[in-house]
Amino acid sequence: MGVSRAFDEIWGHGGPAKPRPEFNELARWMADTPHAELHRRQQSAEATFRQLGITFAVYGDTDASERIIPFDIVPRIFMHDEWARLSEGLVQRVEAINAFLQDIYGERRILSEGVLPPELVLSNPQFRPEVAGIRPPHDIWAHICGIDLVRTGPDEFYVLEDNARTPSGVSYMLENREAMIRLCPELFRSFRVAAVDSYSDMLRETLYSVAPERRSASPVAVVLTPGHFNSAYYEHSFLADTMGVELVEPADLLVDDDIVYMQTIAGRVRVDVIYRRIDDDFLDPLVFRPDSLLGVPGIMAAYRAGNVALVNAPGNGIADDKAIYSYMPEIVKFYSGGEAKLPNVETWRCREPDALKYTLDHLDQLVVKLVDGSGGYGMLVGPTASKAEIEAFRAALIAEPHRYIAQPTLALSTVPTVTETGLAPRHVDFRPFVLTGSDGVRVVPGGLTRVALKEGSLVVNSSQGGGTKDSFVLLPDRPVQGQEQTQVVG
């Protein structure tokens, strides 16, 4: 699929000479800033990221184990009314995800009322029977969600997937904004951009709000990392630092009498909230994988006793599963009583014979994904795949159809992007971050825009060569009282 058919968020369908009217000023900035200057600013941002150590690992890549994610200097912009509609849909979806998790690990009404096939949940590898019957503090499971969105037209937004386990990328959202303020201050004088630098404060308040109700003292929260060899370690340390909480590794924690303690030079300190960046499998060797060297023995017993909040909750992987995703419109309606405000991408469940037949007959036109896949791995993009890749995927589908879903190849929207030869449209997706605490649900006014840097490519994942852009959310023309949060540029 060529980029020419796609809707460009800045240029519309008119190209650089006739941009969308609301972005005339940005189009002028792009036209008036020499390509060499855009390139220089971009390289300056990437040099800073390298100095800061903002890298990610590509597992299995022998060329470079640590890389920065390429940064593009041209921002993506959301109008205020667009953002308001998106936020409503995001809040509705995340509230439904929390209700779904609470239900399937509790009463299971959605199964008994026939909305979902029971085997789709109960036989799913992402369903954790070890968690059944646990009620997390304040009944919140998905405290931090990254909901991946794609756009196909001026008003057409779709949810591509839900990330309710350990969504990453928020450090890039924050560092991208820092780079833009430093390198392109003129854009913040042209546009009233909502600030994102309050994210760390919002996250800290969310963590504190879900502490078990046990004592009057201030709650203690920590970020639990597997260690500096993890691909997202920079983000773990960045968030702990900006929140002003301790970054701990498993060896720093111990459980005594179902209470979690942090071991410090001054002695033990009781821990109330753990923002954990360790997968379920490795979290507690007494409950999950006994060979885990990354776990904290007894942490699940403390959680079950209600003495500690785990953010996000163990067992959330079932909400990330792409077969479950295909039922999200029904899930949203079941728990909210209304139609989903953010639609899904049309999805064929290959576990169903008719859907499998359709998928096998149209492999060269579809995107096929593993139901539990992530990072762009285990995925076929039919229109750009070779015949050999299609035939290999066909064999895998026939062998284990229940492991796959298929979707149409969407004409993802594009945003002008700096290339070696000048500005050109490149496909993008978007990950906004949604925080749920005992005090409600909040959507951060921004997010992570990922961009496919290869011409015509629809794969935006950093592990597959994608880059990132800053995402501007514009404030209303006239500030509503109490909403004045313009990004200040000195």
Side-chain angles (χ1 to χ4, degrees):
M1 170 172 299
V3 270
S4 58
R5 290 172 50 194
F7 165 74
D8 192 90
E9 299 187 11
I10 307 300
W11 292 335
H13 290 294
K18 196 177 179 185
R20 299 172 73 199
E22 55 267 42
F23 298 126
N24 279 332
E25 205 153 352
L26 181 65
R28 225 176 358 256
W29 174 81
M30 288 190 289
D32 293 347
T33 309
H35 179 259
E37 175 60 13
L38 291 174
H39 204 61
R40 184 197 66 78
R41 295 185 193 187
Q42 199 154 290
Q43 287 180 317
S44 175
E46 292 185 353
T48 300
F49 294 164
R50 198 171 281 108
Q51 287 167 3
L52 290 170
I54 310 177
T55 59
F56 73 102
V58 180
Y59 296 118
D61 188 321
T62 54
D63 295 333
S65 58
E66 294 286 331
R67 300 176 180 172
I68 64 163
I69 297 181
F71 171 70
D72 188 75
I73 202 80
V74 179
R76 186 212 204 137
I77 300 181
F78 293 95
M79 304 302 290
H80 175 72
D81 57 342
E82 277 175 354
W83 188 254
R85 291 195 304 274
L86 286 178
S87 294
E88 282 184 18
L90 290 165
V91 169
Q92 180 199 45
R93 194 168 182 106
V94 168
E95 287 178 341
I97 286 171
N98 268 299
F100 169 68
L101 290 163
Q102 178 82 351
D103 187 22
I104 59 164
Y105 288 116
E107 295 179 24
R108 299 179 185 164
R109 285 192 306 117
I110 198 165
L111 303 185
S112 60
E113 295 187 28
V115 178
L116 288 185
E119 70 277 7
L120 190 68
V121 173
L122 303 179
S123 300
N124 194 307
Q126 296 300 321
F127 178 74
R128 298 289 186 178
E130 303 91 341
V131 177
I134 292 180
R135 293 195 65 172
H138 308 280
D139 291 338
I140 298 169
W141 294 75
H143 312 79
I144 305 160
C145 284
I147 308 295
D148 289 352
L149 303 176
V150 293
R151 185 179 195 174
T152 58
D155 298 306
E156 288 81 47
F157 289 91
Y158 298 90
V159 177
L160 187 64
E161 61 184 51
D162 303 292
N163 297 280
R165 278 178 282 186
T166 52
S168 61
V170 77
S171 59
Y172 287 96
M173 173 187 81
L174 298 171
E175 294 289 10
N176 286 353
R177 177 60 53 84
E178 286 286 318
M180 289 297 289
I181 291 172
R182 180 168 58 86
L183 295 167
C184 304
E186 65 274 20
L187 289 179
F188 296 91
R189 291 190 283 270
S190 299
F191 296 100
R192 298 183 65 249
V193 183
V196 294
D197 56 5
S198 60
Y199 176 81
S200 295
D201 293 336
M202 290 169 63
L203 178 58
R204 183 179 60 245
E205 292 310 312
T206 298
L207 297 183
Y208 288 164
S209 80
V210 298
E213 296 171 0
R214 60 168 179 84
R215 52 184 182 172
S216 58
S218 299
V220 173
V222 298
V223 176
L224 175 60
T225 176
H228 65 277
F229 292 112
N230 185 267
S231 64
Y233 180 74
Y234 171 81
E235 180 158 296
H236 307 165
S237 57
F238 174 89
L239 290 173
D241 186 48
T242 54
M243 283 194 291
V245 305
E246 292 292 334
L247 178 70
V248 298
E249 296 188 20
D252 299 320
L253 300 180
L254 66 88
V255 180
D256 186 1
D257 196 21
D258 290 348
I259 294 172
V260 182
Y261 296 95
M262 171 173 51
Q263 302 182 91
T264 72
I265 297 170
R268 292 181 177 183
V269 175
R270 183 168 175 173
V271 175
D272 304 285
V273 183
I274 299 173
Y275 176 18
R276 50 105 184 189
R277 299 295 293 257
I278 293 178
D279 292 343
D280 289 0
D281 274 343
F282 303 101
L283 189 59
D284 186 339
L286 302 181
V287 175
F288 300 116
R289 282 183 55 162
D291 62 341
S292 171
L293 301 177
L294 298 175
V296 180
I299 197 170
M300 287 300 294
Y303 179 57
R304 185 177 285 278
N307 292 329
V308 70
L310 296 177
V311 176
N312 281 326
N316 279 16
I318 188 71
D320 285 10
D321 182 87
K322 292 178 179 63
I324 297 295
Y325 158 91
S326 69
Y327 283 97
M328 276 304 293
E330 292 90 338
I331 291 170
V332 169
K333 189 170 186 177
F334 183 78
Y335 295 110
S336 74
E339 298 297 328
K341 295 176 182 178
L342 283 174
N344 270 20
V345 176
E346 184 181 9
T347 302
W348 292 274
R349 297 182 279 264
C350 296
R351 64 198 295 275
E352 298 169 3
D354 288 349
L356 175 62
K357 182 179 186 310
Y358 179 86
T359 301
L360 291 171
D361 289 346
H362 298 85
L363 270 181
D364 60 339
Q365 302 165 34
L366 300 174
V367 176
V368 188
K369 303 175 182 177
L370 281 167
V371 294
D372 57 351
S374 63
Y377 296 103
M379 182 169 83
L380 176 80
V381 181
T384 60
S386 67
K387 286 185 178 178
E389 288 169 334
I390 288 174
E391 290 314 308
F393 233 86
R394 185 186 304 279
L397 260 173
I398 292 169
E400 297 181 297
H402 63 281
R403 295 191 65 204
Y404 296 92
I405 55 107
Q407 295 172 330
T409 308
L410 298 178
L412 302 188
S413 62
T414 59
V415 175
T417 300
V418 177
T419 73
E420 290 298 323
T421 56
L423 290 169
R426 292 291 184 266
H427 293 293
V428 292
D429 80 351
F430 184 58
R431 176 176 292 179
F433 295 91
V434 186
L435 301 179
T436 303
S438 63
D439 51 352
V441 184
R442 286 176 285 191
V443 183
V444 183
L448 179 66
T449 287
R450 300 184 299 181
V451 54
L453 296 175
K454 296 174 185 171
E455 184 176 1
S457 173
L458 296 168
V459 182
V460 298
N461 305 77
S462 54
S463 54
Q464 311 295 317
T468 67
K469 288 174 172 286
D470 193 8
S471 312
F472 287 10
V473 172
L474 301 189
L475 292 163
D477 290 336
R478 291 197 187 100
V480 178
Q481 193 169 6
Q483 288 189 3
E484 180 63 70
Q485 285 189 320
T486 310
Q487 188 78 60
V488 177
V489 181

